[in-house]
């Protein structure tokens, strides 16, 4: 077996694809497994009536981006490196300016 | 502009392809004007070498076009969450006027690319480059389409502004709606079924006859294969998709590419595209059957292309018919 | 069959030619892998957060109404509740009491929330897992809070939320209504904002429009908009990172171009030998393409596998800080792996297409070497 | 039968460094013979050899192989013909370093799409005939000069060509190895293979087995000697 270089290579690629398939299987399994936790998180959101994920807790307007002031909410300019890295790189969504500006 | 990773990659990819095709077209122009097989000049030698580069580039472009077509539709589908009312690719493509043209151009460029590769393949079988000028004339014709695709796709992405209210598949492809797509959905099912199976049957018969006997029905087969391509897409929107979704009002031609429907769309569209490329290929080669150096090669290539088209179309018919027969869903009531 | 055998033969040669220059090619594969790894990590990470957000946030209120005073968020009077409840199609209106509490000793920023269930439990709090971690408290402990008048009030911790909920409530402190109002000196009859439930989902926009007309000093925030915005944000974040990273891809493409164009004397001679012993130009191009395919496939698969492990087994330790920003209270959460073929396709496009484009012309150039060049050397 | 009709090869045509390597040569080569192109270095032997071997297209003139005109053929067909008709042995042997002797022998046949096992067997057989089977798995750089020469011969033979073409094969060999080389060529000639050698080595053009000697100087034929 595997006497030729091309065979070795094909075997190597197949092995890689196999690992990748296992990982995708892992992803599938994990999604199934985490279903109850997902439900738990949803019920938590319902319970607290939350609107945002707890990703950035460093500043007020990054913990609840959708609930901040008009002056800051989501509206940080993507390149305004203010005080917090998470406050930048977020685009000011056009529709929030459009819809929630005073008509 | 939506800075989605796939948008960026499609954009970058199509610009690269555009540059490569332009590069090829530049040498194509030189070949058209300066090609002289008898001359042993440096220029002629350079041009002969360039043909290798150009055929390599065109094969890459062909493969790229196929992938980019599917990636484009898939991306449109993913982006639909950004637009109110858009529920799938159909809605996203309708956000501005460039969505559908981009898709159509991608299909056209794929088929044109296939045609070019068929010509190139035939040309390479002969000792005297009999098709060189035709081949590069075709390349010159393809170049504007590729440029157009890049520009239209760029315009599409640049004009995507999240949250623009658009019609989703529900309204765009609903029976009451307006526009071409709605017209297809509104096409009565029974005549459409007859048309589809009729066209498929005719194409396959003509193809089979041509495959076995050679000659006679070849031109007809080639024309029919292109007609059948169109009819099949129409049938897909009109009634085939409905059986996949098991929903009488869902006529979207894109959703069957999704995991929910077991990615059934990929083999279907691939089969259709392969069939169309094969069919147009057969037709493209017809005018050159008389050329001395190609007399043996062309019928052989045509046979292979015919076989490819036949198999692809049969696969398409088998899968769709299977879906129609084996689903519990019945369209009769609607 | 002959075609397959031919390609395998050519692949054999391509592999031995790669192995012969292993130093150079290993460097190439490593850089390539790192690029794929970084891009894949970004894509996997943002996509998972995006999916998670879009699934979880379906549980959030359909409409939130905030009062705006001089362009700033202000307290909402309780009488707005009756006004809104009268709008046809509105099923339920609730006043929400929540706010931020900055804890100077740890430097962390907490979210204080009053819920229906905890409304009456005066003197006690339930805390998120992140809060428990950062202030190092357990159930039964007392935590002092500095109220708005400067005095300290202690609460007993009666519950700690599960670690699985960190993604939504890591920093939450659940407190009774009376404690909340006295802690922040918030007047009775006022709420932070209001949440609405709507009878028919399709009417949300109509209701929002009515709210704006009925109470011009408020702004309604729709759940669908929040969902869309989160989608857009993570697209943007990953997109921007990728744009920044495009510089790296560009540099890499130039590097591969350079590697492919600057054929060493030895390589040139080899190509010449191949041509001289009877390889055709297109066969040499095929050989060079195989080299490219080998490099691309190896790096792509390796990069994707490493990225998956990094993001979903290693909690993206390398990039999370960039994406999340820095903060005292890092929510600890394991991302649920939402991975689909589409991401891999996009990734393939982003990395393999530029590399291939960069190597086409150089490999052609290597392939057109005259067969008689070896005789003239 | 290989026929060169009024072949001229000019390098860098039209430039200031224009250089006429071959000037109006007409020549017929009998594939049953051992033919030697003799002449000092720079006389144009190598260019004539590469025109004969269909490696270079002449600037002017025509080349026929078995009556078929090949100068106007596109490269992809020319390569096919060249692969079937000629086996080449180069001055420096031009073996590819870093891979085994066996692989080196097999390389010319890779594009043919022949099954790997049968190709390998043929290559092993050739190495056996040239008493190199022990060295099949050795890398090229570990071989001695004589072994390298025989690997080069095996490589030239792998496609079973009608004619072996050798360019200054003995330039880097001592007398013993040169004699061994001409011996192998004579043996191949007996088996029906034609041999064309470009050389200025008296050991080669003086050898008894040589049938035809063509002397070239400044790109022209100055003498042709047929030994009977």
């Amino acid at each position: 077996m595997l006497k030729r270089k091309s065979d070795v290579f094909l075997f190597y690629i197949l092995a890689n694809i196999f690992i990748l398939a296992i990982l995708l299987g892992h992803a599938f399994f994990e999604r199934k497994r985490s279903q109850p936790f997902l439900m738990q998180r949803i019920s938590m959101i319902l319970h607290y009536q939350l609107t945002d994920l707890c990703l950035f807790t460093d500043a007020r307007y990054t913990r609840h981006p959708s609930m901040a002031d008009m002056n800051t909410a989501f509206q940080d300019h993507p390149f305004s490196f203010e005080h917090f890295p998470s406050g930048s790189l977020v685009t000011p969504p056009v529709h929030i300016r459009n819809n929630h500006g005073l008509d | 502009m939506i800075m989605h990773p796939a948008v960026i990659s499609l954009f970058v990819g199509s610009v690269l392809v555009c540059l490569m095709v332009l590069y090829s077209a530049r040498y194509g122009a030189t070949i058209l004007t300066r090609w002289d097989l008898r001359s042993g000049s440096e220029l002629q030698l350079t041009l002969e070498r360039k043909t290798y580069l150009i055929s390599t580039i065109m094969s890459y472009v062909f493969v790229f076009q196929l992938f980019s077509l599917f990636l484009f539709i898939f991306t449109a589908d993913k982006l639909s969450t950004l637009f109110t009312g858009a529920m799938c690719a159909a809605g996203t493509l309708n956000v501005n006027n460039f969505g559908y043209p981009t898709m159509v151009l991608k299909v056209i460029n794929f088929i044109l690319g296939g045609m070019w590769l068929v010509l190139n393949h035939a040309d390479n079988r002969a000792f005297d480059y009999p098709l060189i000028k035709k081949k590069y004339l075709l390349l010159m014709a393809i170049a504007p389409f590729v440029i157009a695709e890049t520009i239209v796709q760029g315009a599409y992405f640049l004009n995507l502004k999240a949250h623009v209210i658009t019609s989703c598949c529900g309204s765009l492809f609903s029976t009451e709606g307006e526009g071409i797509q709605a017209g297809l959905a509104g096409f009565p099912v029974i005549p459409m079924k007859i048309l589809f199976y009729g066209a498929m049957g005719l194409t396959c018969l003509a193809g089979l006859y041509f495959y076995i006997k050679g000659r006679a029905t070849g031109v007809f087969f080639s024309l029919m294969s292109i007609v059948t391509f169109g009819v099949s897409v129409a049938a897909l929107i009109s009634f085939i998709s409905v059986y996949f979704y098991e929903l009488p009002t869902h006529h979207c031609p894109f959703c069957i590419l999704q995991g929910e429907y077991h990615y059934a769309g990929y083999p279907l569209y691939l089969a259709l595209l392969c069939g169309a490329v094969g069919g147009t290929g057969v037709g493209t080669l017809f005018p050159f059957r008389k050329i001395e150096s190609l007399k043996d090669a062309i019928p052989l290539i045509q046979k292979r292309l015919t076989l490819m088209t036949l198999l692809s179309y049969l696969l398409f018919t088998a899968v769709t018919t299977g879906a129609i027969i084996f689903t519990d869903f019945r369209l009769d009531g609607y | 069959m002959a075609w397959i055998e031919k390609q395998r033969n050519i692949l054999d040669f391509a592999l031995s030619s790669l192995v012969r220059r292993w130093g150079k090619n290993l460097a190439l594969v490593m850089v390539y892998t790192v690029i794929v790894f970084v891009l894949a990590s970004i894509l996997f990470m943002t996509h998972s957060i995006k999916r998670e957000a879009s699934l979880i946030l379906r549980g959030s209120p359909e409409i939130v109404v905030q009062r705006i005073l001089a362009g700033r968020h202000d307290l909402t009077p309780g009488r707005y509740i009756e006004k809104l409840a009268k709008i046809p199609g509105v099923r339920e209106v609730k006043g929400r009491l929540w706010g931020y509490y900055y804890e100077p000793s740890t430097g962390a920023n907490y979210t204080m929330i009053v819920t229906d269930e905890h409304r009456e439990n005066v003197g006690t709090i339930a805390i998120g897992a992140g809060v428990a971690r950062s202030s190092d408290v357990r159930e039964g402990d007392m935590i002092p809070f500095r109220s708005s008048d400067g005095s300290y009030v202690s609460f007993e911790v009666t519950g700690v939320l599960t670690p699985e909920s960190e993604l939504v409530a890591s920093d939450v402190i659940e407190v009774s209504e009376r404690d909340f109002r006295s802690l922040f000196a918030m007047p009775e009859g006022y709420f932070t904002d209001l949440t609405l439930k709507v009878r028919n989902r399709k009417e949300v926009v109509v209701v929002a429009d009515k709210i704006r007309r009925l109470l011009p000093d408020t702004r309604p925030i729709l759940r669908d908009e929040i969902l869309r915005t989160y989608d857009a944000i993570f697209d943007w974040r990953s997109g921007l990172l990728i744009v920044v990273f495009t510089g790296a891809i560009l540099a890499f493409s130039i590097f591969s171009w350079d590697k492919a164009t600057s054929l060493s004397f030895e390589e040139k001679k080899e190509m010449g030998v191949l041509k001289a012993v009877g390889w055709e130009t297109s066969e040499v191009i095929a050989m060079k393409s195989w080299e490219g395919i080998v490099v691309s496939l190896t790096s792509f698969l390796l990069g994707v596998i490493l990225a998956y492990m990094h993001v979903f087994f290693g909690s993206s330790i390398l990039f999370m800080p960039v994406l999340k920003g820095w903060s005292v209270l890092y929510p600890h959460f394991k991302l649920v792996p939402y991975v689909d073929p589409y991401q891999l396709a996009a990734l393939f496009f982003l990395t393999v297409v530029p590399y291939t484009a960069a190597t086409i012309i150089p490999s052609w150039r290597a392939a057109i070497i005259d067969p008689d060049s070896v005789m003239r050397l | 039968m290989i026929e060169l009709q009024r072949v001229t090869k000019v390098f860098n045509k039209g430039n200031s460094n224009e250089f006429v390597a071959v000037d109006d040569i007409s020549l017929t080569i009998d594939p049953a013979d051992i033919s030697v192109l003799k002449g000092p270095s720079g006389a144009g032997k190598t260019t004539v050899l590469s025109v004969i071997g269909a490696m270079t297209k002449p600037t002017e003139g025509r080349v026929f192989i078995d009556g078929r005109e090949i100068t106007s053929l596109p490269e992809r067909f020319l390569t096919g013909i060249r692969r079937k008709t000629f086996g080449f042995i180069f001055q420096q042997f031009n073996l590819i370093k870093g891979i085994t002797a066996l692989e080196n022998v097999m390389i010319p046949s890779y594009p043919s799409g022949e099954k790997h096992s049968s190709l390998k067997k043929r290559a092993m057989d050739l190495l056996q005939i040239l008493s190199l089977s022990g060295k099949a798995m050795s890398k090229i750089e570990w071989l001695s000069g004589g072994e390298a020469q025989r690997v080069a011969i095996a490589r030239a033979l792998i496609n079973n060509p009608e004619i072996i073409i050798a360019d200054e094969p003995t330039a880097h060999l001592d007398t013993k190895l040169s004699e061994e080389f001409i011996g192998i060529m004579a043996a191949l000639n007996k088996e029906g293979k034609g041999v064309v050698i470009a050389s200025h080595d008296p050991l080669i053009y003086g050898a008894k087995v040589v049938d035809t000697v063509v002397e070239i100087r400044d790109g022209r034929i100055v003498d042709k000697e047929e030994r009977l």
Side-chain angles (χ1 to χ4, degrees):
Chain A
M1 237 209 120
L2 298 188
K3 277 198 183 130
R4 297 176 62 180
K5 289 203 181 73
S6 54
D7 290 337
V8 176
F9 174 71
L10 288 179
F11 179 77
Y12 169 77
I13 290 299
L14 281 180
N16 267 285
I17 290 174
F18 182 68
I19 294 175
L20 199 61
I22 289 180
L23 289 179
L24 290 180
H26 167 264
F28 181 77
F29 176 75
E30 271 296 298
R31 284 201 291 269
K32 278 262 181 309
R33 197 184 63 83
S34 63
Q35 199 65 29
F37 301 124
L38 183 73
M39 288 304 159
Q40 194 187 342
R41 284 195 281 271
I42 293 179
S43 69
M44 192 86 51
I45 287 267
L46 279 167
H47 177 67
Y48 293 120
Q49 299 197 35
L50 288 172
T51 48
D52 299 273
L53 293 184
C54 184
L55 292 174
F56 328 115
T57 61
D58 41 3
R60 299 152 38 115
Y61 60 87
T62 58
R63 167 59 181 97
H64 298 282
S66 63
M67 291 293 119
D69 295 341
M70 292 276 291
N71 319 43
T72 42
F74 276 143
Q75 286 106 324
D76 296 315
H77 190 274
F79 292 111
S80 75
F81 286 91
E82 275 197 348
H83 308 288
F84 305 101
S86 60
S88 56
L89 287 178
V90 179
T91 135
V94 179
H95 72 270
I96 281 193
R97 284 201 310 252
N98 289 349
N99 290 0
H100 300 295
L102 304 171
D103 299 49
Chain B
M1 180 84 185
I2 285 177
M3 197 114 69
H4 189 276
V7 170
I8 296 169
S9 53
L10 278 168
F11 197 76
V12 172
S14 83
V15 168
L16 282 176
V17 160
C18 194
L19 289 177
M20 288 200 288
V21 170
L22 275 177
Y23 178 88
S24 310
R26 186 175 103 66
Y27 285 99
T30 321
I31 285 173
L32 281 176
T33 50
R34 308 284 295 276
W35 183 268
D36 177 16
L37 199 54
R38 269 168 297 280
S39 146
S41 69
E42 289 288 318
L43 179 72
Q44 175 63 17
L45 229 62
T46 314
L47 289 180
E48 278 176 40
R49 283 174 183 161
K50 283 283 178 201
T51 60
Y52 282 96
L53 177 61
I54 295 171
S55 26
T56 311
I57 287 179
M58 288 304 284
S59 351
Y60 280 120
V61 167
F62 180 68
V63 174
F64 173 86
Q65 281 297 334
L66 183 66
F67 279 110
S68 88
L69 173 63
F70 285 116
L71 188 67
F72 181 72
I73 293 172
F74 221 117
T75 304
D77 194 84
K78 289 276 163 183
L79 291 179
S80 62
T81 51
L82 297 176
F83 307 98
T84 34
M87 260 132 73
C88 72
T92 316
L93 289 179
N94 213 29
V95 170
N96 61 46
N97 289 331
F98 303 108
Y100 280 102
T102 306
M103 200 195 69
V104 171
L105 276 171
K106 276 185 190 294
V107 174
I108 291 176
N109 284 339
F110 175 76
I111 294 176
L112 284 177
M115 253 167 90
W116 195 89
L117 289 180
V118 167
L119 266 188
N120 187 44
H121 183 75
D123 193 35
N124 286 351
R125 293 288 158 283
F127 293 94
D128 52 353
Y129 292 99
L131 304 178
I132 189 96
K133 295 258 160 108
K134 281 112 190 160
K135 201 161 79 178
Y136 284 97
L137 214 58
L138 178 62
L139 182 63
M140 305 303 277
I142 292 175
F145 281 98
V146 174
I147 298 168
E149 183 198 309
T150 307
I151 293 172
V152 173
Q153 179 179 284
Y156 174 64
F157 286 139
L158 285 174
N159 285 306
L160 273 188
K161 296 208 171 57
H163 192 64
V164 177
I165 299 207
T166 69
S167 50
C168 75
C169 16
S171 62
L172 182 62
F173 289 97
S174 76
T175 328
E176 296 83 29
E178 283 169 30
I180 322 164
Q181 295 90 348
L184 290 173
F187 209 89
V189 171
I190 305 291
M192 199 62 223
K193 275 185 177 169
I194 295 169
L195 190 64
F196 168 66
Y197 281 106
M200 267 296 175
L202 260 174
T203 310
C204 289
L205 279 179
L208 213 60
Y209 189 80
F210 177 64
Y211 184 71
I212 296 164
K213 301 265 179 195
R215 204 76 209 142
T217 53
V219 179
F220 177 69
F221 162 70
S222 174
L223 287 176
M224 271 314 286
S225 70
I226 299 158
V227 172
T228 306
F229 177 74
V231 170
S232 301
V233 173
L236 205 76
I237 297 169
S238 160
F239 67 93
I240 296 170
S241 58
V242 175
Y243 286 100
F244 279 97
Y245 306 134
E246 312 200 334
L247 209 71
T249 48
H250 200 176
H251 289 285
C252 179
F254 305 116
C255 290
I256 54 169
L257 290 167
Q258 297 306 313
E260 289 102 297
Y261 308 105
H262 312 294
Y263 302 105
Y266 286 96
L268 289 181
Y269 283 113
L270 265 180
L272 276 186
L273 286 169
C274 273
V277 167
T280 38
V282 170
T284 318
L285 289 179
F286 260 107
F288 313 120
R289 275 171 76 113
K290 293 228 173 65
I291 293 176
E292 190 58 36
S293 51
L294 284 171
K295 242 169 49 191
D296 302 322
I298 282 190
L300 213 76
I301 301 171
Q302 282 184 321
K303 262 195 163 182
R304 278 200 208 133
L305 288 171
T306 308
L307 191 66
M308 179 175 104
T309 306
L310 283 178
L311 290 179
S312 308
Y313 278 177
L314 283 177
L315 175 78
F316 181 84
T317 317
V319 172
T320 51
T321 311
I324 291 172
I325 292 172
F326 291 114
T327 174
D328 301 329
F329 173 75
R330 286 286 163 265
L331 198 56
D332 310 338
Y334 301 101
Chain C
M1 280 319 281
W3 185 83
I4 293 175
E5 202 55 46
K6 174 177 171 178
Q7 297 306 320
R8 280 182 71 190
N9 287 337
I10 293 177
L11 174 58
D12 271 343
F13 186 83
L15 285 166
S16 44
S17 135
L18 284 174
V19 171
R20 250 171 294 142
R21 277 169 281 277
W22 64 272
K24 204 170 160 189
N25 289 312
L26 191 69
L28 181 70
V29 166
M30 265 161 57
V31 177
Y32 202 158
T33 305
V34 166
I35 287 182
V36 173
F37 168 77
V38 172
L39 287 177
S41 295
I42 295 170
L43 282 182
F44 287 162
M45 207 157 60
T46 47
H47 183 73
S48 286
I49 293 181
K50 219 168 90 173
R51 284 285 294 167
E52 185 84 27
S54 73
L55 285 174
I56 293 178
L57 292 179
R58 277 178 216 290
S60 61
E62 279 167 313
I63 303 177
V64 175
V65 177
Q66 283 185 343
R67 183 163 175 242
I68 301 299
L69 181 73
R72 311 211 65 150
H73 182 189
D74 196 32
L75 296 181
T76 318
R79 67 194 143 81
Y80 279 14
I81 295 179
E82 291 103 80
K83 278 193 178 179
L84 291 177
K86 277 185 198 132
I87 295 176
V90 173
R91 200 172 68 199
E92 194 186 12
V93 186
K94 267 190 189 165
R96 202 158 64 140
L97 280 172
W98 66 278
Y100 299 100
Y101 177 82
Y102 179 71
E103 173 58 57
S105 63
T106 55
N109 199 39
Y110 300 143
T111 301
M112 282 211 166
I113 298 180
V114 177
T115 57
D116 290 347
E117 290 75 9
H118 207 95
R119 201 168 286 270
E120 309 302 329
N121 303 347
V122 180
T124 65
I125 52 172
I127 58 174
V131 184
R133 193 171 51 244
S134 73
S135 15
D136 193 23
V137 290
R138 257 159 296 182
E139 228 177 286
D141 287 358
M142 302 289 282
I143 314 184
F145 286 92
R146 190 174 190 269
S147 68
S148 57
D149 61 5
S151 61
Y152 282 89
V153 194
S154 281
F155 295 112
E156 190 194 344
V157 179
T158 54
V160 178
L161 303 179
T162 57
E164 282 78 21
S165 64
E166 279 212 45
L167 185 55
V168 292
S170 181
D171 65 334
V172 159
I173 299 177
E174 203 176 344
V175 66
S176 74
E177 181 172 352
R178 212 182 81 193
D179 291 333
F180 185 89
R181 288 194 190 278
S182 67
L183 198 63
F184 295 113
M186 183 182 252
E188 287 290 333
Y190 281 88
F191 294 96
T192 313
D193 45 27
L194 309 176
T195 61
L196 269 78
K197 278 186 187 150
V198 178
R199 242 178 229 113
N200 187 346
R201 237 195 104 193
K202 285 179 184 159
E203 277 177 32
V204 171
V205 179
V206 183
V207 171
D209 199 45
K210 280 185 181 149
I211 295 170
R212 242 194 310 249
R213 250 175 285 156
L214 189 69
L215 302 169
D217 63 339
T218 64
R219 66 164 175 161
I221 302 164
L222 310 184
R223 182 178 64 197
D224 286 349
E225 275 174 356
I226 294 174
L227 285 173
R228 255 200 306 282
T229 312
Y230 264 112
D231 253 14
I233 280 180
F234 287 113
D235 285 350
W236 260 104
R237 281 194 170 236
S238 53
L240 271 169
L241 278 176
I242 284 165
V243 166
V244 171
F245 211 72
T246 310
I249 298 178
L250 202 72
F252 172 66
S253 297
I254 292 169
F255 168 63
S256 3
W257 174 284
D258 185 59
K259 183 221 161 247
T261 33
S262 63
L263 286 178
S264 65
F265 175 75
E266 198 60 32
E267 284 172 273
K268 253 188 212 144
K269 205 176 124 189
E270 259 179 54
M271 295 300 132
V273 170
L274 289 182
K275 292 291 291 281
V277 299
W279 285 40
E280 212 249 319
T281 304
S282 60
E283 284 148 6
V284 181
I285 292 180
M287 197 275 286
K288 281 273 159 194
S289 307
W290 273 114
E291 275 188 23
I293 291 170
V294 169
V295 168
S296 292
L297 264 186
T298 308
S299 317
F300 183 78
L301 288 171
L302 207 62
V304 168
I305 289 170
L306 289 178
Y308 185 96
M309 293 183 170
H310 166 233
V311 173
F312 299 117
F313 298 142
S315 305
S316 353
I317 36 170
L318 295 181
F319 301 121
M320 225 26 161
V322 184
L323 205 76
K324 288 203 306 195
W326 57 271
S327 77
V328 174
L329 196 163
Y330 269 128
H332 286 196
F333 53 83
K334 259 181 98 175
L335 284 174
V336 179
Y338 294 99
V339 183
D340 60 26
Y342 167 72
Q343 284 161 273
L344 296 182
L347 189 65
F348 193 78
F349 245 64
L350 268 177
T351 50
V352 176
V353 170
Y355 175 77
T356 313
T359 49
I360 287 183
I361 293 181
S363 35
W364 167 76
R365 239 182 237 152
I368 55 161
I369 287 177
D370 282 324
D372 64 334
S373 63
V374 285
M375 300 181 87
R376 286 191 258 119
L377 285 174
Chain D
M1 192 67 80
I2 299 166
E3 213 183 330
L4 272 59
Q5 279 183 3
R6 313 201 57 155
V7 164
T8 298
K9 179 74 188 178
V10 183
F11 288 105
N12 305 318
K13 197 177 179 182
N15 294 339
S16 53
N17 55 348
E18 185 176 297
F19 165 61
V20 183
V22 174
D23 190 5
D24 196 19
I25 281 187
S26 295
L27 181 66
T28 310
I29 301 237
D30 189 335
D33 283 355
I34 297 185
S35 316
V36 174
L37 304 176
K38 152 181 142 175
S41 44
K45 296 190 304 285
T46 300
T47 311
V48 174
L49 208 60
S50 59
V51 171
I52 293 172
M55 277 207 210
T56 315
K57 279 190 183 183
T59 319
E60 266 168 65
R62 303 206 285 177
V63 181
F64 295 85
I65 295 181
D66 294 329
R68 180 167 188 186
E69 209 270 325
I70 59 156
T71 21
S72 64
L73 279 183
E75 194 206 312
R76 62 174 61 75
F77 297 100
L78 201 57
T79 310
I81 292 171
R82 183 151 52 91
R83 203 149 60 196
K84 267 186 243 132
T85 320
F86 301 105
F88 293 90
I89 299 165
F90 307 104
Q91 188 172 1
Q92 322 263 12
F93 304 136
N94 284 325
L95 297 168
I96 293 176
K97 290 199 186 93
I99 58 177
T100 62
L102 179 68
E103 278 179 281
N104 259 293
V105 174
M106 286 160 73
I107 279 170
S109 255
Y110 273 167
S112 70
E114 183 180 345
K115 219 168 144 22
H116 191 76
S117 49
S118 79
L119 173 58
K120 196 167 167 184
K121 195 178 165 302
R122 285 202 298 119
M124 281 309 282
D125 290 349
L126 276 174
L127 287 172
Q128 174 114 45
I129 292 167
L130 293 160
S131 32
L132 271 172
S133 36
K135 299 282 181 181
M137 289 302 159
S138 310
K139 294 229 163 97
I140 286 302
E141 46 271 47
W142 303 341
L143 299 180
S144 70
E147 286 163 344
Q149 171 197 288
R150 277 175 285 149
V151 171
I153 296 173
R155 185 176 67 182
L157 290 171
I158 190 74
N159 281 329
N160 197 22
E162 293 165 34
I163 297 166
I164 308 283
I165 290 183
D167 183 26
E168 301 281 5
T170 57
H172 301 277
L173 299 179
D174 57 25
T175 313
K176 187 175 150 274
L177 287 173
S178 301
E179 278 167 355
E180 187 187 312
F181 176 81
I182 198 81
I184 294 171
M185 287 304 123
L188 288 170
N189 184 243
K190 265 210 189 90
E191 285 167 30
K193 292 200 188 308
V195 178
V196 183
I197 307 171
S199 180
H200 60 263
D201 185 353
L203 218 61
I204 296 283
Y205 61 77
K208 271 194 270 308
V209 291
V210 173
D211 299 297
T212 313
V213 178
V214 178
E215 192 174 345
I216 294 172
R217 206 168 271 270
D218 300 325
R220 290 167 180 275
I221 296 178
V222 291
D223 185 29
K224 186 167 177 181
E225 172 193 356
E226 308 244 4
R227 303 176 185 169
L228 293 168

